[in-house]
Amino acid sequence: MDSGDWDDRYRASDRLWSTTPNLFVADRLRHTRPGRGLDLAAGEGRNAVWLASIGWQMTAVDFSEVAIARGLEQTQDVQFVQSDVLEWESKVNFDLVLVAYLHLRPPDFEKVVRRAREWLEPDGELFLIGHDSSNLTDGWGGPQYPEVLWDVAAIVDWLDGMTIVESEVVRRPVDADDGRHFARDTLVRARLPG
Ligand SMILES: C[S@@+](CC[C@H](N)C(=O)[O-])C[C@H]1O[C@@H](n2cnc3c(N)ncnc32)[C@H](O)[C@@H]1O
């Protein structure tokens, strides 16, 4: 999907994603020492806005102008940038780089992860959460194209030289009209040596 497709998707509803942060982002990052953070493909900003509320100095990048406009409506505490994450360049480094539910065709996602890693400060954390490949058969919702789904082992492979803090498939509860379901997400957290 290009930025125009995403704009159309955002325009189709008042709010596409929740206003609350992702479950795992909130759980794992709630008690971290705030610093400078970057949210790549931030959407309407649910994670960046929450991180800013607990003290992080956040930059949020997304190529959808509708999503960016919605982010800007919520807060002035996050620097929202409308740009393609495959092309955007950072002038500074970050203590945290977050990528949540960005699903690109190969090799673009690997390229984003490798770029994200370049923007980390020493001891900085790369936090990746997205729909796992096993979600197609054993999970709920999410993209239905296997080539855009994430794989723990493949991602860990790209993070050579980093300390892997967490790398697993996690279950995320999703409440639907017909009851509770569980989506399967890839969660990888990795730290650059200090
Ligand atoms: C599923 S949403 C996730 C949004 C947000 N990370 C969250 O968890 O709420 C995927 C987002 O990726 C953005 N996106 C997709 N490809 C992108 C690209 N190449 N550059 C920047 N943003 C992109 C879309 O505009 C969309 O907002």
Side-chain angles (χ1 to χ4, degrees):
M1 283 171 75
D2 65 17
S3 57
D5 297 326
W6 273 105
D7 283 339
D8 290 345
R9 197 170 167 200
Y10 279 112
R11 280 196 195 98
S13 63
D14 289 342
R15 178 89 200 186
L16 191 51
W17 314 114
S18 67
T19 51
T20 49
N22 168 260
L23 174 71
F24 303 103
V25 169
D27 182 65
R28 305 307 199 266
L29 298 178
R30 190 178 300 279
H31 298 298
T32 47
R33 188 156 51 98
R36 189 185 282 143
L38 172 66
D39 186 357
L40 289 174
E44 294 153 316
R46 59 180 178 146
N47 296 312
V49 170
W50 177 78
L51 283 161
S53 78
I54 61 166
W56 285 85
Q57 188 189 329
M58 292 301 298
T59 300
V61 181
D62 198 286
F63 68 4
S64 161
E65 64 174 8
V66 180
I68 290 292
R70 288 184 186 170
L72 285 166
E73 278 166 16
Q74 293 167 80
T75 183
Q76 299 195 332
D77 291 342
V78 174
Q79 187 193 3
F80 283 97
V81 180
Q82 188 194 343
S83 184
D84 189 322
V85 294
L86 288 157
E87 288 163 13
W88 182 72
E89 293 293 347
S90 179
K91 294 191 179 74
V92 294
N93 284 352
F94 298 89
D95 304 297
L96 170 71
V97 179
L98 165 68
V99 186
Y101 304 97
L102 174 64
H103 293 275
L104 304 175
R105 290 185 193 285
D108 286 350
F109 180 57
E110 177 179 353
K111 197 171 157 191
V112 171
V113 171
R114 291 190 184 279
R115 302 187 91 217
R117 167 195 175 134
E118 293 302 312
W119 295 326
L120 282 172
E121 289 283 5
D123 207 34
E125 175 169 338
L126 182 60
F127 189 117
L128 306 172
I129 181 84
H131 301 285
D132 188 71
S133 53
S134 64
N135 191 57
L136 261 190
T137 48
D138 303 328
W140 175 259
Q144 298 298 303
Y145 311 101
E147 65 274 22
V148 304
L149 297 175
W150 292 11
D151 177 73
V152 174
I155 292 174
V156 167
D157 235 34
W158 305 335
L159 303 178
D160 189 33
M162 295 184 77
T163 303
I164 304 299
V165 178
E166 226 179 317
S167 60
E168 58 180 325
V169 177
V170 287
R171 273 165 32 110
R172 176 172 44 85
V174 183
D175 290 319
D177 292 343
D178 60 348
R180 174 160 283 200
H181 300 268
F182 287 91
R184 292 173 66 83
D185 289 348
T186 302
L187 171 61
V188 176
R189 298 172 64 201
R191 206 164 263 289
L192 210 60

